[in-house]
Short mmCIF file of all heavy atoms in Angstrom, two decimals:
data_model
loop_
_atom_site.label_atom_id
_atom_site.label_comp_id
_atom_site.label_asym_id
_atom_site.label_seq_id
_atom_site.Cartn_x
_atom_site.Cartn_y
_atom_site.Cartn_z
N ALA H 124 -11.17 0.75 8.36
CA ALA H 124 -10.97 2.03 9.05
C ALA H 124 -12.08 2.25 10.06
O ALA H 124 -13.20 1.80 9.88
CB ALA H 124 -10.96 3.16 8.03
N THR H 127 -16.37 7.18 11.79
CA THR H 127 -16.41 8.48 12.46
C THR H 127 -17.85 8.96 12.58
O THR H 127 -18.78 8.41 11.96
CB THR H 127 -15.59 9.52 11.69
OG1 THR H 127 -16.24 9.75 10.42
CG2 THR H 127 -14.17 9.02 11.45
N ILE H 129 -18.94 11.65 11.33
CA ILE H 129 -19.31 12.16 10.00
C ILE H 129 -19.83 11.02 9.12
O ILE H 129 -20.81 11.18 8.38
CB ILE H 129 -18.10 12.85 9.34
CG1 ILE H 129 -17.73 14.12 10.12
CG2 ILE H 129 -18.40 13.18 7.88
CD1 ILE H 129 -16.50 14.82 9.60
N GLN H 139 -32.20 8.59 4.59
CA GLN H 139 -33.39 9.44 4.69
C GLN H 139 -33.80 10.02 3.35
O GLN H 139 -35.00 10.16 3.06
CB GLN H 139 -33.12 10.58 5.68
CG GLN H 139 -32.97 10.15 7.12
CD GLN H 139 -34.25 9.57 7.69
OE1 GLN H 139 -35.32 10.13 7.53
NE2 GLN H 139 -34.15 8.41 8.32
N LEU H 150 -28.93 3.20 -5.71
CA LEU H 150 -28.52 1.87 -6.16
C LEU H 150 -27.40 1.95 -7.19
O LEU H 150 -26.49 1.12 -7.22
CB LEU H 150 -29.72 1.11 -6.73
CG LEU H 150 -30.77 0.64 -5.70
CD1 LEU H 150 -32.01 0.13 -6.40
CD2 LEU H 150 -30.18 -0.44 -4.80
N GLN H 158 -20.83 -2.89 -5.45
CA GLN H 158 -22.00 -3.57 -4.90
C GLN H 158 -21.85 -3.95 -3.43
O GLN H 158 -22.60 -4.77 -2.92
CB GLN H 158 -22.36 -4.81 -5.74
CG GLN H 158 -22.60 -4.46 -7.19
CD GLN H 158 -23.08 -5.64 -8.01
OE1 GLN H 158 -23.88 -6.43 -7.54
NE2 GLN H 158 -22.59 -5.74 -9.24
N GLN H 159 -20.90 -3.35 -2.76
CA GLN H 159 -20.72 -3.59 -1.32
C GLN H 159 -21.21 -2.36 -0.55
O GLN H 159 -20.92 -1.22 -0.91
CB GLN H 159 -19.25 -3.85 -1.00
CG GLN H 159 -18.72 -5.15 -1.58
CD GLN H 159 -19.50 -6.36 -1.08
OE1 GLN H 159 -19.70 -6.54 0.13
NE2 GLN H 159 -19.94 -7.20 -2.01
N HIS H 171 -34.39 2.50 8.15
CA HIS H 171 -35.36 3.27 7.37
C HIS H 171 -36.49 2.36 6.85
O HIS H 171 -37.68 2.72 6.94
CB HIS H 171 -34.66 3.95 6.21
CG HIS H 171 -35.54 4.90 5.45
ND1 HIS H 171 -35.71 6.20 5.82
CD2 HIS H 171 -36.32 4.70 4.35
CE1 HIS H 171 -36.56 6.79 4.99
NE2 HIS H 171 -36.93 5.90 4.08
N ALA H 184 -38.87 -4.29 -1.97
CA ALA H 184 -38.29 -5.59 -2.28
C ALA H 184 -36.89 -5.46 -2.89
O ALA H 184 -36.00 -6.26 -2.60
CB ALA H 184 -39.20 -6.38 -3.22
N ASN H 192 -27.91 -9.31 -0.02
CA ASN H 192 -26.73 -9.67 -0.80
C ASN H 192 -25.43 -9.09 -0.25
O ASN H 192 -24.35 -9.40 -0.74
CB ASN H 192 -26.91 -9.20 -2.25
CG ASN H 192 -25.91 -9.82 -3.20
OD1 ASN H 192 -25.72 -11.03 -3.23
ND2 ASN H 192 -25.24 -8.97 -3.98
N LEU H 223 -35.92 -14.24 2.57
CA LEU H 223 -35.67 -13.92 3.98
C LEU H 223 -35.78 -15.16 4.86
O LEU H 223 -34.96 -15.38 5.75
CB LEU H 223 -36.65 -12.84 4.45
CG LEU H 223 -36.36 -11.42 3.96
CD1 LEU H 223 -37.55 -10.51 4.19
CD2 LEU H 223 -35.12 -10.86 4.65
N LEU H 224 -36.79 -15.98 4.61
CA LEU H 224 -36.93 -17.22 5.39
C LEU H 224 -35.73 -18.13 5.19
O LEU H 224 -35.26 -18.77 6.14
CB LEU H 224 -38.22 -17.95 4.99
CG LEU H 224 -39.53 -17.34 5.46
CD1 LEU H 224 -40.70 -18.07 4.83
CD2 LEU H 224 -39.64 -17.37 6.98
N GLU H 244 -17.52 -35.07 37.81
CA GLU H 244 -16.30 -34.39 37.38
C GLU H 244 -16.15 -34.51 35.86
O GLU H 244 -16.29 -35.58 35.29
CB GLU H 244 -15.09 -34.99 38.09
CG GLU H 244 -13.83 -34.17 37.90
CD GLU H 244 -12.69 -34.67 38.78
OE1 GLU H 244 -12.96 -35.26 39.84
OE2 GLU H 244 -11.53 -34.46 38.38
N ILE H 253 -27.37 -25.74 18.51
CA ILE H 253 -27.82 -25.34 17.18
C ILE H 253 -28.88 -24.27 17.34
O ILE H 253 -29.84 -24.44 18.09
CB ILE H 253 -28.40 -26.54 16.40
CG1 ILE H 253 -27.35 -27.63 16.23
CG2 ILE H 253 -28.92 -26.08 15.04
CD1 ILE H 253 -26.20 -27.25 15.35
N SER H 258 -34.89 -14.01 14.84
CA SER H 258 -35.50 -13.80 16.15
C SER H 258 -36.73 -14.69 16.28
O SER H 258 -37.64 -14.64 15.45
CB SER H 258 -35.89 -12.33 16.31
OG SER H 258 -36.85 -12.16 17.32
N ASP H 259 -36.78 -15.50 17.34
CA ASP H 259 -37.85 -16.48 17.51
C ASP H 259 -39.23 -15.83 17.53
O ASP H 259 -40.15 -16.26 16.84
CB ASP H 259 -37.61 -17.26 18.81
CG ASP H 259 -38.72 -18.24 19.12
OD1 ASP H 259 -38.97 -19.12 18.28
OD2 ASP H 259 -39.33 -18.13 20.19
N PHE H 260 -39.39 -14.76 18.29
CA PHE H 260 -40.71 -14.14 18.44
C PHE H 260 -41.21 -13.59 17.10
O PHE H 260 -42.34 -13.84 16.68
CB PHE H 260 -40.65 -13.02 19.47
CG PHE H 260 -41.93 -12.24 19.58
CD1 PHE H 260 -43.01 -12.76 20.27
CD2 PHE H 260 -42.07 -11.00 18.96
CE1 PHE H 260 -44.21 -12.06 20.36
CE2 PHE H 260 -43.25 -10.29 19.05
CZ PHE H 260 -44.33 -10.82 19.75
N SER H 283 -39.61 -28.15 1.56
CA SER H 283 -38.21 -28.34 1.16
C SER H 283 -37.26 -27.70 2.16
O SER H 283 -36.25 -28.30 2.56
CB SER H 283 -38.00 -27.75 -0.23
OG SER H 283 -36.64 -27.81 -0.60
N ILE H 316 -44.78 -33.40 19.32
CA ILE H 316 -44.77 -32.68 18.05
C ILE H 316 -45.92 -31.68 18.01
O ILE H 316 -45.75 -30.53 17.62
CB ILE H 316 -44.88 -33.66 16.86
CG1 ILE H 316 -43.62 -34.53 16.80
CG2 ILE H 316 -45.07 -32.89 15.56
CD1 ILE H 316 -42.33 -33.76 16.59
N ILE H 350 -48.45 -35.81 0.02
CA ILE H 350 -48.22 -36.17 1.43
C ILE H 350 -47.57 -37.54 1.53
O ILE H 350 -46.72 -37.78 2.38
CB ILE H 350 -49.53 -36.11 2.25
CG1 ILE H 350 -49.23 -36.25 3.74
CG2 ILE H 350 -50.52 -37.17 1.82
CD1 ILE H 350 -48.36 -35.20 4.32
N GLU H 355 -42.94 -40.71 3.10
CA GLU H 355 -41.97 -41.76 2.74
C GLU H 355 -40.54 -41.23 2.85
O GLU H 355 -39.64 -41.94 3.32
CB GLU H 355 -42.25 -42.26 1.32
CG GLU H 355 -43.49 -43.14 1.22
CD GLU H 355 -43.79 -43.56 -0.21
OE1 GLU H 355 -43.11 -43.06 -1.13
OE2 GLU H 355 -44.71 -44.38 -0.41
N ALA H 359 -37.79 -42.60 5.70
CA ALA H 359 -36.50 -43.17 5.31
C ALA H 359 -35.32 -42.34 5.82
O ALA H 359 -34.16 -42.74 5.66
CB ALA H 359 -36.42 -43.28 3.79
N LEU H 380 -55.62 -41.02 4.74
CA LEU H 380 -54.68 -42.10 5.06
C LEU H 380 -55.33 -43.46 4.88
O LEU H 380 -54.68 -44.42 4.49
CB LEU H 380 -54.18 -41.93 6.50
CG LEU H 380 -53.27 -40.72 6.68
CD1 LEU H 380 -53.05 -40.43 8.16
CD2 LEU H 380 -51.94 -40.96 6.01
N LYS H 384 -54.16 -46.36 2.30
CA LYS H 384 -53.72 -47.51 3.10
C LYS H 384 -52.36 -47.24 3.75
O LYS H 384 -51.43 -48.06 3.66
CB LYS H 384 -53.66 -48.77 2.23
CG LYS H 384 -54.99 -49.11 1.58
CD LYS H 384 -54.91 -50.42 0.84
CE LYS H 384 -56.18 -50.69 0.08
NZ LYS H 384 -57.38 -50.66 0.87
#
Side-chain angles (χ1 to χ4, degrees):
T127 66
I129 294 176
Q139 292 295 313
L150 288 170
Q158 304 186 39
Q159 293 302 308
H171 187 86
N192 194 51
L223 285 166
L224 287 172
E244 191 171 333
I253 300 293
S258 161
D259 176 58
F260 174 78
S283 175
I316 294 299
I350 189 61
E355 287 177 353
L380 291 168
K384 303 185 185 305

